[in-house]
């Protein structure tokens, strides 16, 4: 690639830092942006925004690039967090990372960078974008343990065409090695986890600030009361920990799992055994579809993930109409969860997907 003006999203983490260094070494004109996307409880013990900003500034100084701090907190609240709360209130389990990428990193940030005259934006994602004469294509990262294409499936052509992801072709261990070798101040910093742009904090306490608790019964599918939940929004399908119920005589101490939510009755349906039939689904329906290039053909043999880090599952799209699709799997899938995303792949290429309903 000839010299380009590239704006890098510097998060303060090691991945985006190595991304900036690599692009600078390649001779590009590189500029850094640190995005502040959360302002509530900005000074509490769980928020690392100040630490991350300081790390990003230190990295920019070492790499030798300018950096700006940009506030997208309003966009985040309007486009991501409002949806996040609405989905939990409706009993679903949203994936904020998917929406963060589509609405903030590759929309608000992309628009900001383009307005500054950038040719491309770059991020530290472990995925690959192939640019050529035809459409830009999104591929899995070569490190199977870090591939993040699942979280990027909503990116469309106008976003992919301006996106660079240099780390998609290397492994995380190599990124750490490079960071240590060039003396990055955050070379050994642990990877961020928790809610996108909000960070690590006690999830139930955090959610309770915005949505009131509505306790109710835990019941078996047959209607037997076995415990009490603190609010359906705090549980997700397949959940085992935190239920507060032991085994039963009939189940011989077999662990309990969340199998369904009855929103009308405010009842959490629980079953015993990891492979209970209610936890296994041979097909699903998804809505709010998004495709990186074009939708797949009905009946095409593909692979899918219904959650991050899941092994690819062989499947085919059995119907595509009215903004919905049906996906049938070769074998039943465990704990298919409304609100999460089903992402389709043709080999290494991420085709897109939709929200499980």
């Amino acid at each position: 690639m000839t010299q380009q003006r590239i704006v890098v999203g510097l998060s303060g983490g090691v991945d985006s830092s190595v991304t900036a260094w690599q692009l600078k070494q390649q001779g590009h004109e590189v500029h850094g942006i640190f995005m502040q996307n959360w302002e509530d409880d900005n000074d509490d013990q769980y928020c690392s925004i100040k630490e991350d900003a300081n790390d990003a500034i230190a990295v920019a100084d070492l790499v030798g690039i300018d950096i700006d701090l940009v506030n997208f907190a309003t966009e985040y609240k309007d486009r991501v967090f409002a949806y996040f709360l609405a989905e939990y209130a409706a009993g679903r389990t949203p994936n904020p990372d998917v929406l963060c990428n589509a609405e903030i990193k590759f929309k608000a940030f992309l628009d900001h960078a383009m307005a500054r005259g950038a040719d491309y934006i770059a991020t530290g994602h472990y995925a690959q974008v192939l640019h050529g004469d035809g459409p830009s294509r999104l591929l899995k990262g070569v490190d199977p343990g870090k591939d993040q294409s699942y979280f990027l499936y909503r990116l469309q052509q106008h976003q992919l065409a301006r996106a660079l992801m240099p780390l998609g072709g290397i492994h995380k261990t190599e990124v750490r090695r490079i960071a240590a070798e060039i003396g990055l101040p955050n070379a050994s910093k642990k990877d961020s986890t928790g809610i996108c742009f909000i960070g690590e904090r006690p999830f139930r306490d955090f959610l309770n600030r915005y949505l009131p608790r509505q306790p109710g019964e835990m019941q078996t599918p047959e209607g037997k009361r076995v415990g009490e939940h603190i609010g359906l929004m705090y549980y997700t399908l397949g959940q085992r920990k935190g239920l507060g119920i032991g085994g039963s005589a009939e189940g011989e101490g077999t662990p309990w799992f969340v199998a369904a939510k009855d929103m009308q009755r405010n009842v959490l349906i629980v079953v015993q055994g990891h492979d209970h039939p209610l936890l296994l689904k041979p097909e699903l329906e998804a809505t709010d579809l998004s495709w990186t290039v074009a939708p797949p053909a009905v009946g095409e043999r593909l692979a899918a993930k219904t959650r991050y880090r899941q092994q690819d599952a062989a499947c085919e799209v059995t119907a595509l109409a009215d903004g919905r699709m049906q996906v049938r799997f070769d074998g039943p899938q465990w704990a298919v969860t409304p609100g999460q995303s089903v992402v389709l792949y043709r080999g290494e290429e991420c085709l897109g997907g939709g929200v499980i309903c």
Side-chain angles (χ1 to χ4, degrees), residues 14 18 21 171-183 187:
V14 67
V18 171
W21 180 83
H171 286 244
K172 179 74 177 198
T173 52
E174 176 67 4
V175 171
R176 290 284 187 190
R177 187 196 66 77
I178 293 172
E181 184 178 274
I182 63 178

Side-chain angles (χ1 to χ4, degrees), residues 104-174:
I104 304 300
K105 295 178 183 176
F106 293 89
K107 190 169 185 179
F109 169 47
L110 176 61
D111 291 346
H112 179 86
M114 293 300 108
R116 292 180 58 94
D119 297 306
Y120 293 93
I121 62 168
T123 66
H125 284 101
Y126 287 85
Q128 303 178 82
V129 183
L130 296 187
H131 300 290
D133 295 334
S136 298
R137 298 187 179 274
L138 177 64
L139 273 63
K140 294 178 180 179
V142 299
D143 187 339
K146 293 296 294 181
D147 168 47
Q148 293 175 310
S149 59
Y150 177 91
F151 299 118
L152 298 165
Y153 82 91
R154 297 195 69 81
L155 300 190
Q156 299 181 346
Q157 277 302 300
H158 69 283
Q159 296 164 306
L160 289 171
R162 295 294 186 177
L164 300 176
M165 300 177 194
L167 302 190
I170 62 178
H171 286 244
K172 179 74 177 198
T173 52
E174 176 67 4

Side-chain angles (χ1 to χ4, degrees), residues 167-227:
L167 302 190
I170 62 178
H171 286 244
K172 179 74 177 198
T173 52
E174 176 67 4
V175 171
R176 290 284 187 190
R177 187 196 66 77
I178 293 172
E181 184 178 274
I182 63 178
L184 287 178
N186 56 0
S188 59
K189 185 176 182 178
K190 69 175 184 177
D191 293 340
S192 61
T193 58
I195 305 169
C196 182
F197 291 132
I198 297 176
E200 300 179 55
R201 57 192 69 219
F203 180 71
R204 288 182 174 180
D205 291 343
F206 175 76
L207 202 57
N208 191 47
R209 296 182 190 178
Y210 303 93
L211 298 173
R213 296 191 178 198
Q214 294 180 296
E217 290 188 355
M218 290 185 190
Q219 295 181 3
T220 66
E222 297 74 30
K224 178 182 177 182
R225 184 187 185 281
V226 292

Side-chain angles (χ1 to χ4, degrees), residues 204 218 226-228 235 239-247 256:
R204 288 182 174 180
M218 290 185 190
V226 292
E228 184 173 288
Y235 304 86
Q239 181 175 331
R240 173 182 173 182
K241 295 182 178 180
L243 301 185
I245 49 177
W256 291 90

Side-chain angles (χ1 to χ4, degrees), residues 150 236-241 243 254-260 271-284 304-314 329-338 340-342 356:
Y150 177 91
T236 187
L237 270 60
Q239 181 175 331
R240 173 182 173 182
K241 295 182 178 180
L243 301 185
T254 306
W256 291 90
F257 293 85
V258 174
V271 296
Q272 281 188 283
H274 182 276
D275 296 324
H276 190 283
L278 286 184
L279 289 170
L280 300 171
K281 303 294 182 185
E283 62 183 12
L284 61 79
K305 296 180 186 291
T306 58
R307 62 183 66 209
Y308 181 50
R309 295 195 186 281
Q310 177 194 13
Q311 292 292 317
D312 287 6
F329 297 93
D330 287 7
Q333 300 300 297
W334 187 79
V336 173
T337 304
Q340 292 287 293
S341 293
V342 56
I356 299 167

Side-chain angles (χ1 to χ4, degrees), residues 16 27 30 35 39 71 95 100 153 156 170 176 186 193 255 264-265 274 285 350:
S16 61
V30 181
M35 292 175 273
E39 292 181 324
N71 191 312
N95 193 318
C100 278
Y153 82 91
Q156 299 181 346
I170 62 178
R176 290 284 187 190
N186 56 0
T193 58
Q264 288 189 331
R265 297 191 300 133
H274 182 276
E285 189 171 289
C350 178

